[in-house]
Amino acid sequence: MFQNFDNPPPENLSPHRLQSLREKMRLVGVDAYLVPRTDKHHGEYVPPSDERLKWLTGFSGSAGLAIIGLKKAALIVDGRYRVQARSEVDEDLFELPEFSAKRPAEWICETLSKRGSKVGYDPWLHTGNEISRLQAGLAGQGITLKPLSRCNLVDSIWGDDRPDEPLNKVTIHPLEYAGETSTSKLEKIQQQLKKDDLEAAILTLPDSICWLLNIRGSDIAHNPVALCFAIVPARGKVELFIAPSKLNSDVRA
């Protein structure tokens, strides 16, 4: 991950932000809320508009999960980021428990002792496997997960200061550099889909989509990708889900 440590850390605004988040949690009826580092594309790199974990906690590493309870909060990072987390995060506000695959569920069980507690999360920001593992860790504890699909609670308190989502222009990646046409790549994928008796593949990672369509973008610093989704059917055209303003007539063609 590209990271610049030249600038001094900003003023610690976490106490106020935690208070605002907890007020929102009470309004929607959850006792804890999950704030992961990732965005809805689940890549390692995210645009400034999706830096929710950094905005809330001060932690600027490329992987981590904050669990915000109504009284306590934790930031869980792996061994790569222990020193960094201690230097960036206010430990009076966030516990920094030792990392393990089971740790999020363990911390929730230790912190939310009341049966009937609910843990809210944004379903765009978690994979099915992540939620399944967490559900398994909470099984028998009387704690349930509550998807909050209408509004990300961090975004709701970030407000007008939240950076705009990137809408940078898409460019065509020349065949001399791509080495293979988009049509050829699509044919190979569709052959595999038919072989596996699948109707379609859903692509959420912009890297994969830009490779397939031979396009490039600049929505994320230091990464030549355009943020988008795609459905690749076993027959027919790829369906590309992208902000129309990113495409000029040449790219559309």
Side-chain angles (χ1 to χ4, degrees):
M1 174 187 175
F2 178 89
Q3 198 165 354
N4 187 335
F5 295 96
D6 294 338
N7 297 323
E11 178 186 358
N12 183 12
L13 300 175
S14 290
H16 171 70
R17 292 171 181 176
L18 275 177
Q19 179 182 352
S20 298
L21 179 57
R22 284 168 171 150
E23 290 173 359
K24 288 287 185 180
M25 290 163 55
R26 292 185 180 96
L27 287 175
V28 300
V30 297
D31 303 281
Y33 189 66
L34 306 180
V35 183
R37 165 55 170 61
T38 190
D39 65 1
K40 58 190 174 184
H41 300 280
H42 297 276
E44 182 177 357
Y45 304 96
V46 302
S49 56
D50 287 304
E51 288 277 14
R52 299 177 182 90
L53 186 65
K54 180 180 178 181
W55 181 84
L56 183 66
T57 69
F59 174 67
S60 64
S62 64
L65 172 69
I67 309 172
I68 312 303
L70 292 175
K71 294 183 178 180
K72 294 182 179 181
L75 173 66
I76 300 177
V77 298
D78 63 48
R80 295 172 295 171
Y81 300 106
R82 296 292 295 175
V83 173
Q84 181 179 349
R86 290 193 181 101
S87 68
E88 293 180 335
V89 175
D90 186 344
E91 293 189 64
D92 289 333
L93 301 174
F94 295 93
E95 297 177 14
L96 299 176
E98 292 293 330
F99 172 82
S100 74
K102 297 180 180 179
R103 197 64 187 116
E106 291 173 347
W107 190 90
I108 291 171
C109 291
E110 293 166 0
T111 305
L112 305 183
S113 55
K114 181 180 69 174
R115 294 188 68 84
S117 294
K118 294 181 175 62
V119 179
Y121 69 97
D122 183 343
W124 277 102
L125 305 183
H126 300 269
T127 66
N129 285 339
E130 289 172 354
I131 296 303
S132 294
R133 285 196 300 269
L134 191 52
Q135 286 174 328
L138 299 177
Q141 302 300 314
I143 300 172
T144 58
L145 297 176
K146 181 179 180 179
L148 303 174
S149 56
R150 291 190 176 183
C151 178
N152 183 286
L153 297 190
V154 174
D155 293 351
S156 70
I157 64 171
W158 201 339
D160 294 339
D161 291 334
R162 184 185 176 209
D164 293 332
E165 294 187 4
L167 295 173
N168 298 321
K169 296 296 183 181
V170 171
T171 60
I172 298 169
H173 192 51
L175 181 59
E176 62 182 298
Y177 302 121
E180 185 177 4
T181 66
S182 176
T183 301
S184 173
K185 294 175 182 178
L186 176 60
E187 288 175 351
K188 291 178 181 178
I189 293 176
Q190 290 181 322
Q191 288 173 4
Q192 189 64 47
L193 288 172
K194 294 171 186 174
K195 181 180 178 181
D196 294 337
D197 196 26
L198 298 172
E199 295 297 326
I202 298 174
L203 303 183
T204 64
L205 194 62
D207 313 47
S208 300
I209 300 167
C210 290
W211 172 86
L212 171 61
L213 300 181
N214 284 347
I215 57 175
R216 295 294 185 267
S218 58
D219 284 341
I220 301 177
H222 315 292
N223 288 260
V225 298
L227 297 179
C228 54
F229 296 94
I231 298 177
V232 182
R235 297 170 179 82
K237 295 181 179 180
V238 174
E239 294 183 77
L240 179 63
F241 299 83
I242 190 170
S245 62
K246 294 182 182 182
L247 308 178
N248 61 28
S249 57
D250 290 337
V251 176
R252 284 178 178 276

